[in-house]
Amino acid sequence: MKLLFVCVGNTCRSQMAEAIAMSLGHVAISAGTHPGESVNPNAIRVLEEIGIDCSKQFPKNVDDITSEGHDKIISMGCGVECPNLPIDADWGLEDPHGKSLETYRTTRDRIMKFVKELVQKGTDA
């Protein structure tokens, strides 16, 4: 599957989703409406805990990404901040930025579950 994950800052949730999807063998990219400077160190850390390296990823602006050609476009929960994209689903994930490492782990685990479900649904179609 080719997946696009969008959020506001593109430093935590969507970066984790991109890395997790790629680790499962899918083509994935992420972008944000107001991208930060770099991937959040806690997002990198909690992914490293499960053997996924996203240290070479970087925030991208959604305006620089084409929405065409993706099997699914997923919002992380950016609400009114999300651009006018053909969003297939909004996962409604709270932004872990500024919260505890445990919150990052919970977010990572929810994203892993959602990506696996998304991919399973895609292969069942």
Side-chain angles (χ1 to χ4, degrees):
M1 289 185 90
K2 186 173 180 183
L3 305 167
L4 170 59
F5 299 100
V6 296
C7 67
V8 178
N10 191 221
T11 61
C12 300
R13 299 167 291 176
S14 56
Q15 290 288 346
M16 287 193 278
E18 176 183 346
I20 289 168
M22 289 191 310
S23 78
L24 296 171
H26 302 282
V27 176
I29 193 163
S30 65
T33 56
H34 299 91
E37 295 293 317
S38 60
V39 177
N40 187 291
N42 284 335
I44 294 170
R45 181 175 174 182
V46 300
L47 287 175
E48 285 175 345
E49 290 174 355
I50 61 170
I52 297 174
D53 179 13
C54 73
S55 63
K56 295 195 175 28
Q57 292 179 202
F58 57 93
K60 298 161 286 300
N61 192 304
V62 73
D63 293 336
D64 298 332
I65 304 294
T66 180
S67 64
E68 295 176 19
H70 296 280
D71 295 309
K72 298 286 181 186
I73 300 175
I74 307 297
S75 164
M76 299 289 101
C78 54
V80 298
E81 292 289 324
C82 275
N84 189 17
L85 289 172
I87 303 291
D88 292 296
D90 185 331
W91 287 349
L93 296 167
E94 182 181 347
D95 190 350
H97 181 78
K99 299 195 171 68
S100 71
L101 198 55
E102 191 55 41
T103 301
Y104 278 84
R105 288 183 183 113
T106 299
T107 301
R108 173 203 64 202
D109 294 346
R110 288 187 68 203
I111 291 170
M112 178 70 81
K113 176 181 180 280
F114 289 159
V115 170
K116 286 181 176 180
E117 288 173 356
L118 178 70
V119 170
Q120 184 61 42
K121 287 177 187 174
T123 59
D124 289 345

